Amino acid sequence: MELSSVDGAVILEPQTGQVKAFGSIIETAASVRGISGARTTAAESAVSYQTMQPIKISSDGDITLYRNVTDLDTGEEITLKYKFY
């Protein structure tokens, strides 16, 4: 809980859940366009890196899960955003 209050990303090892880093800055990906908040920009950048599955926790309380999937009809990679309020 305390780690999540630190500015920056908390990075977990997917298989074990072990904390790999906290307070990390996610480099903005070239594919991220537009003006968004820092947390949204970081999450959208992280999901563009092949193996990351970010969870953004907003300061106003909503939580967004990001997942890349392949559209079965077109073969295009798309990002799904699951929002919880």
Side-chain angles (χ1 to χ4, degrees), residues 41-54:
T41 300
E44 290 183 1
S45 294
V47 78
S48 73
Y49 305 130
Q50 293 298 342
T51 60
M52 291 192 160
Q53 297 181 352

Side-chain angles (χ1 to χ4, degrees), residues 25-53:
I25 303 303
I26 304 295
E27 185 175 334
T28 302
S31 61
V32 176
R33 297 178 196 84
I35 299 173
S36 298
R39 292 176 188 180
T40 300
T41 300
E44 290 183 1
S45 294
V47 78
S48 73
Y49 305 130
Q50 293 298 342
T51 60
M52 291 192 160
Q53 297 181 352

Side-chain angles (χ1 to χ4, degrees), residues 31-32 43-49 52-54 64-71 76-82:
S31 61
V32 176
E44 290 183 1
S45 294
V47 78
S48 73
Y49 305 130
M52 291 192 160
Q53 297 181 352
T64 307
L65 309 175
Y66 293 76
R67 298 291 180 265
N68 278 338
V69 297
T70 302
D71 184 309
E76 177 184 10
E77 187 173 278
I78 57 174
T79 301
L80 297 179
K81 298 175 189 175
Y82 303 94

